[in-house]
């Protein structure tokens, strides 16, 4: 929530200078996107790579002392980014900007949000148990070897969800966004 509020404040204080510059909210980009021919294969692997690298990085961080802070920083950054893009699109397009933001996250975020909550809780929990266990009240200590298999399964399950979300983002969301942009 702090990141979201920070992003909204930042956009309102400093974002007005950037509204008309090139980027995903520029009139040029949005007009081109409406009629763009999309190479779905390349887009799928691009999105999959982007989503997977962040997940792999956080998963690895989960077995280090930096796992807990990495999860918190990720959440703050995600909130900040969401606040920025939401505020800037509403400042530029009004209610249509809100529709654009909602269109940009549906339907894939129906998969991504619960998946990320599950994943981040597990990554935070792994790091906390390995390095901050004595500070966790009521936590039961498990030997490190017993933590490995469930933690690998967390990655496998998360990557499966990322694959499903990437499919939706590539093949469903692009059409959904084009439909919304026809009203711009």
């Amino acid at each position: 929530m702090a990141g979201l509020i920070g992003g909204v404040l930042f956009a309102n204080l400093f974002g007005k200078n950037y509204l008309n510059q090139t980027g995903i909210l520029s009139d040029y980009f949005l007009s081109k996107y409406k009629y763009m021919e999309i190479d779905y294969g390349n887009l799928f692997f691009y999105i999959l790579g982007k989503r997977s690298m962040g997940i792999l990085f956080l998963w690895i961080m989960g077995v280090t002392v930096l796992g807990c802070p990495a999860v918190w920083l990720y959440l703050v950054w995600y909130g900040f980014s969401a606040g920025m893009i939401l505020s800037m699109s509403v400042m530029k397009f009004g209610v249509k900007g809100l529709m654009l933001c909602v269109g940009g996250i549906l339907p894939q975020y129906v998969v991504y949000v619960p998946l990320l909550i599950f994943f981040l809780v597990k990554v935070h929990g792994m790091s906390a148990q390995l390095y901050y266990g004595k500070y966790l009240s009521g936590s039961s200590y498990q030997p490190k070897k017993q933590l490995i298999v469930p933690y690998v399964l967390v990655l496998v399950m998360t990557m499966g969800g990322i694959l499903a979300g990437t499919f939706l983002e590539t093949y469903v969301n692009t059409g959904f966004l084009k439909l919304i942009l026809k009203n711009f």
Side-chain angles (χ1 to χ4, degrees):
M1 198 57 142
L4 183 70
I5 292 168
V8 169
L9 291 174
F10 187 85
N12 282 290
L13 294 174
F14 305 109
K16 293 176 184 166
N17 299 331
Y18 301 106
L19 276 178
N20 294 321
Q21 294 180 0
T22 13
I24 62 169
L25 293 178
S26 72
D27 294 327
Y28 175 77
F29 176 81
L30 293 176
S31 68
K32 291 295 180 192
Y33 188 85
K34 285 185 210 181
Y35 307 107
M36 183 184 298
E37 192 65 36
I38 297 172
D39 181 348
Y40 291 103
N42 282 337
L43 181 60
F44 179 84
F45 287 108
Y46 174 79
I47 293 170
L48 184 62
K50 287 288 187 185
R51 303 282 183 239
S52 298
M53 288 302 118
I55 292 297
L56 286 172
F57 175 76
L58 283 170
W59 186 77
I60 291 168
M61 294 303 287
V63 295
T64 71
V65 71
L66 299 174
C68 292
V71 166
W72 288 107
L73 284 172
Y74 178 82
L75 287 170
V76 169
W77 175 250
Y78 215 82
F80 182 84
S81 300
M84 278 274 299
I85 195 77
L86 185 61
S87 293
M88 290 183 74
S89 76
V90 169
M91 287 188 320
K92 183 161 183 162
F93 300 113
V95 175
K96 285 184 177 180
L98 187 59
M99 283 179 25
L100 182 63
C101 286
V102 170
I105 65 170
L106 287 179
Q108 68 272 17
Y109 273 71
V110 172
V111 173
Y112 288 152
V113 169
L115 182 70
L116 280 175
I117 291 170
F118 163 79
F119 177 72
L120 293 174
V121 165
K122 296 299 185 180
V123 169
H124 188 276
M126 177 61 115
S127 182
Q129 188 156 8
L130 289 174
Y131 299 99
Y132 306 104
K134 62 183 174 186
Y135 303 111
L136 299 174
S137 60
S139 86
S140 60
Y141 176 78
Q142 288 183 305
K144 291 179 184 178
K145 287 182 182 179
Q146 290 180 354
L147 297 174
I148 293 171
V149 171
Y151 196 60
V152 169
L153 288 175
V154 165
L155 179 65
V156 170
M157 289 172 50
T158 302
M159 293 308 287
I162 292 294
L163 197 59
T166 299
F167 179 82
L168 290 172
E169 192 169 356
T170 302
Y171 295 100
V172 179
N173 178 260
T174 50
F176 193 50
L177 262 180
K178 283 187 178 194
L179 184 66
I180 288 173
L181 287 175
K182 287 191 181 189
N183 295 318
F184 270 73

